[in-house]
Amino acid sequence: MQRYFIPQTDWEGNEVRIKGDDAHHITRVMRNKVGDQIICNHENGSAAICEITLLDQHYVAAIVIEWKHEEVELPIDVTIAQGLPKGDKFELILQKGTELGAHAFIPVKMDRSIVVWDGKKTEKKLTRFAKIVKEASEQSHRNKIPEVTLPLTILELINESTNYDVKIFAYEEEAKVEAHQSFAEIVNRIAPKQRVLVCIGPEGGFSDQEAAQLKQYGFNSVRLGPRILRTETASLYVLASLSYHFEELNGNNV
Amino acid sequence: MQRYFIPQTDWEGNEVRIKGDDAHHITRVMRNKVGDQIICNHENGSAAICEITLLDQHYVAAIVIEWKHEEVELPIDVTIAQGLPKGDKFELILQKGTELGAHAFIPVKMDRSIVVWDGKKTEKKLTRFAKIVKEASEQSHRNKIPEVTLPLTILELINESTNYDVKIFAYEEEAKVEAHQSFAEIVNRIAPKQRVLVCIGPEGGFSDQEAAQLKQYGFNSVRLGPRILRTETASLYVLASLSYHFEELNGNNV
């Protein structure tokens, strides 16, 4: 069943009014009719099976049939701080990271980022990013849409990091050290509902200075398996592992 | 250090002769000189740090300085049987799956595959696939290049599956069943060196008939976390989880 995220202002009790792209999607793409069912997500994270009651030229109206009780969100909040990568890799990270349950994304301007963030295009970029995470949330049947923030410098990120319980960064050099701290050791210490900040370097990795700064401010360096992952694969490894650990290995079924 | 996979025939004891694209890469892209070091992988899975001794117009010669003793391969053999997806998604799966340690890939023609495999382009396609997995193996510092097979039908895959110890398929419907078998329960039963076959449906998922056939022939249906993953994300979730489980959680460091 198709899922739509509806702004708070478009809910009135058990009635919902769907506008814009979503209304277009319902009428033109899905070609729904009165009586068809869709899933509408509220901004508070709840979701309901709704029945379409009216298809107007400008909006679609629907009424709640049944509120859903489902746990589809990771039990921990994982924010991906991604060194700005080349091309459309950041968009791949947003799409796949949303499917895999990320809570938020922070683009970070790093020493070895080849791409320079064009300030003039910020609004256009953030609009595009918001569209990607909204669509990926709908497609993956999530109840929340991840936030994508404005780009930060590494020092701004370090400043922001005081709001997190656990901080890690994927440091390729770590894979070469015999006595390194295991990613799993750190994961084992994370408690439900904690906030986790995961910092990933761009294509060229972290500069020595960045790695030293992150260590100094309490980021734990980890390796993500013994192979060398591309920058766009690292966050997906982290999110998939955390989902496996908290939702499958330590879920209700083992 | 850049890594190259050298065919068995181009090794002579501790001397190696590098030709073709790899020689071009060394001379033109990396602009290496005599005395520079590279890593050369033998087809038997071992790897050595080598020093360049000669740069000719047609080949590069190098000599082994030190054989490397590294464990970079997943301790289990994981084969991804992927329902043919649209566009270039299969290439993304090959590249990312290789980084994450896959042993082999089998494209599978499924009921809901929208793409039809064009028999006339088979040779060209397999050449392109072989290039993708070779480059991804080099980039991720692996010692083995995964195999990409000819496409199979679901019945051919079932026939082939008798060669595997553990067989699973990612079945979206499974996520909705309360008493489903957990992916982690199955992973917990996998022993090192076992062969694991992971079957993933195309965009539309498995047909009812395919799901019934796979179940009948010993494939365990699993969910991969509570969210719905796109077809190209499912195999990456499986590989990252298996790497986390066998290389980080149950590795030497916990």
Side-chain angles (χ1 to χ4, degrees):
Chain A
M1 212 180 297
Q2 190 65 35
R3 182 175 292 253
Y4 302 93
F5 284 88
I6 314 297
Q8 189 145 7
T9 48
D10 293 338
W11 286 88
E12 205 176 305
N14 274 348
E15 286 175 24
V16 61
R17 186 168 279 216
I18 305 158
K19 303 170 186 164
D21 284 352
D22 289 338
H24 178 84
H25 193 266
I26 289 170
T27 51
R28 303 287 163 156
V29 181
M30 302 302 289
R31 299 184 187 201
N32 283 127
K33 309 225 174 314
V34 167
D36 284 352
Q37 294 191 340
I38 55 175
I39 296 173
C40 294
N41 280 65
H42 196 283
E43 274 181 18
N44 66 12
S46 58
I49 298 171
C50 295
E51 190 176 293
I52 295 170
T53 54
L54 188 147
L55 293 149
D56 183 89
Q57 208 176 343
H58 303 294
Y59 70 95
V60 172
I63 190 159
V64 170
I65 300 294
E66 185 193 344
W67 287 95
K68 287 172 74 79
H69 302 281
E70 43 178 20
E71 284 184 18
V72 294
E73 295 296 328
L74 262 178
I76 52 175
D77 278 357
V78 185
T79 295
I80 304 295
Q82 172 70 49
L84 276 176
K86 285 192 282 188
D88 54 5
K89 283 183 192 170
F90 189 63
E91 300 188 359
L92 181 77
I93 293 164
L94 291 178
Q95 189 195 62
K96 298 280 160 268
T98 299
E99 286 176 57
L100 293 166
H103 175 74
F105 299 91
I106 305 173
V108 187
K109 302 170 190 170
M110 292 194 191
D111 291 344
R112 295 187 184 157
S113 286
I114 289 160
V115 169
V116 178
W117 183 278
D118 182 350
K120 283 184 221 152
K121 292 186 184 160
T122 293
E123 199 183 321
K124 201 175 155 191
K125 276 191 189 181
L126 290 183
T127 304
R128 179 159 169 75
F129 295 164
K131 188 168 188 284
I132 291 169
V133 293
K134 178 172 182 284
E135 286 178 359
S137 296
E138 288 168 352
Q139 185 274 330
S140 58
H141 293 201
R142 286 188 60 175
N143 284 343
K144 287 180 189 165
I145 304 175
E147 184 193 5
V148 188
T149 73
L150 282 166
L152 301 184
T153 63
I154 193 96
L155 290 176
E156 288 168 337
L157 178 73
I158 285 171
N159 195 38
E160 175 71 14
S161 73
T162 53
N163 297 320
Y164 291 82
D165 301 298
V166 178
K167 298 173 273 187
I168 62 175
F169 70 118
Y171 194 39
E172 197 174 302
E173 295 303 311
E174 200 66 19
K176 296 170 191 160
V177 180
E178 283 285 333
H180 70 273
Q181 189 174 32
S182 147
F183 175 45
E185 284 179 278
I186 295 165
V187 173
N188 268 320
R189 290 202 299 267
I190 302 174
K193 305 212 170 165
Q194 281 197 320
R195 303 193 71 201
V196 181
L197 182 58
V198 180
C199 191
I200 310 284
E203 284 85 358
F206 298 102
S207 68
D208 292 346
Q209 195 191 348
E210 286 169 341
Q213 286 171 324
L214 290 170
K215 275 198 178 177
Q216 188 188 337
Y217 287 96
F219 282 76
N220 296 284
S221 63
V222 294
R223 71 163 207 178
L224 305 171
R227 292 163 296 281
I228 306 300
L229 301 179
R230 282 174 203 252
T231 180
E232 73 273 22
T233 317
S235 55
L236 312 185
Y237 184 107
V238 172
L239 287 163
S241 298
L242 291 174
S243 166
Y244 175 76
H245 189 100
F246 288 100
E247 299 180 314
E248 295 297 330
L249 194 59
N250 298 320
N252 296 322
N253 304 293
V254 179
Chain B
M1 214 179 297
Q2 191 66 34
R3 182 176 291 253
Y4 301 95
F5 285 87
I6 314 296
Q8 190 146 6
T9 49
D10 293 337
W11 285 88
E12 204 176 306
N14 275 346
E15 286 175 24
V16 61
R17 188 168 278 216
I18 305 159
K19 302 170 186 163
D21 284 352
D22 289 337
H24 177 85
H25 193 265
I26 289 169
T27 51
R28 303 287 163 157
V29 181
M30 301 302 290
R31 300 184 186 200
N32 283 127
K33 309 225 173 314
V34 168
D36 284 352
Q37 294 191 340
I38 54 175
I39 297 173
C40 294
N41 279 66
H42 197 283
E43 275 182 18
N44 66 11
S46 57
I49 297 171
C50 296
E51 189 177 294
I52 295 170
T53 54
L54 187 147
L55 293 149
D56 184 88
Q57 209 177 340
H58 303 294
Y59 71 94
V60 172
I63 190 159
V64 170
I65 300 296
E66 184 194 344
W67 287 96
K68 287 170 74 79
H69 302 281
E70 42 177 22
E71 284 184 19
V72 293
E73 294 295 329
L74 261 179
I76 53 175
D77 278 358
V78 185
T79 295
I80 304 295
Q82 172 71 50
L84 278 175
K86 285 193 280 187
D88 54 5
K89 283 183 192 169
F90 189 63
E91 300 189 359
L92 180 78
I93 292 164
L94 291 178
Q95 188 196 62
K96 299 279 159 268
T98 299
E99 287 176 57
L100 293 167
H103 175 74
F105 299 91
I106 305 173
V108 187
K109 301 170 191 169
M110 293 192 191
D111 291 342
R112 296 188 184 155
S113 286
I114 289 160
V115 169
V116 178
W117 183 279
D118 181 351
K120 284 183 219 150
K121 293 187 184 159
T122 293
E123 200 183 320
K124 201 175 154 193
K125 276 191 189 180
L126 290 184
T127 304
R128 178 159 171 75
F129 295 164
K131 188 168 187 285
I132 290 169
V133 294
K134 179 172 181 285
E135 287 178 359
S137 296
E138 288 168 352
Q139 184 274 331
S140 58
H141 293 200
R142 287 188 59 175
N143 284 343
K144 287 181 189 165
I145 303 175
E147 184 193 4
V148 188
T149 73
L150 282 165
L152 301 184
T153 63
I154 195 96
L155 290 176
E156 287 168 338
L157 178 73
I158 285 169
N159 195 37
E160 174 71 15
S161 73
T162 53
N163 297 319
Y164 291 82
D165 302 298
V166 177
K167 298 172 274 188
I168 62 175
F169 70 118
Y171 194 39
E172 196 175 301
E173 295 303 312
E174 201 66 19
K176 296 170 192 160
V177 181
E178 283 287 333
H180 70 274
Q181 188 174 32
S182 148
F183 175 44
E185 283 179 280
I186 295 165
V187 173
N188 267 320
R189 292 201 298 268
I190 302 174
K193 303 209 171 167
Q194 281 197 322
R195 303 193 71 202
V196 181
L197 182 58
V198 180
C199 192
I200 310 283
E203 284 85 356
F206 298 102
S207 68
D208 292 346
Q209 196 191 352
E210 285 168 341
Q213 285 171 324
L214 290 170
K215 275 198 176 175
Q216 188 188 339
Y217 287 96
F219 283 75
N220 296 284
S221 62
V222 294
R223 72 162 205 178
L224 305 171
R227 292 163 296 281
I228 306 301
L229 302 179
R230 282 173 203 255
T231 180
E232 72 274 22
T233 317
S235 55
L236 312 185
Y237 183 106
V238 172
L239 288 162
S241 298
L242 291 174
S243 166
Y244 175 76
H245 189 100
F246 288 100
E247 299 180 314
E248 295 296 330
L249 194 59
N250 298 319
N252 296 321
N253 303 292
V254 177

